[in-house]
Amino acid sequence: YLKEAADLGHQDAQQELALTYSTHEKETHLHYTTLAASQGNSAACCLLGGYFTNADCGLPKSLILAKHYSEKYFEDAVEGDPCDNPVPAFNFSLALFHLCLERYEGILEIPGYSPI
């Protein structure tokens, strides 16, 4: 029933199913985690932010996506939830710091931007 609910688009079922695949089928785990995150599941956003920060689960290191998913975690967190998980805040801060550093050092070129 869990797979059927996940395939029908239930975000909590997608996240739960993703967790059942996390140890042995990384591709399926990422598929359901991404589906849940795209529907606003904050736990899935937290996981993807960490994966992109650390280049985990076969994903490339992408500070832009790490920032995106970590920020989305806070946007999608249930109102009244204390957001006591420090991981998304760490991922967001780390990604933002490195993106600013890359921009400052000229590593990251921004079209139409001139430092003068």
Side-chain angles (χ1 to χ4, degrees), residues 16-30:
E16 287 299 318
L17 189 59
L19 293 175
T20 63
Y21 286 115
S22 66
T23 57
H24 59 284
E25 290 185 39
K26 298 288 184 191
E27 191 172 304
T28 306
H29 167 70
L30 286 173

Side-chain angles (χ1 to χ4, degrees), residues 2 4 8 14 19 39 53 59 66 70 98:
L2 185 61
E4 187 176 330
L8 289 173
Q14 290 168 340
L19 293 175
Q39 293 189 38
T53 299
L59 293 174
S70 298
H98 285 288

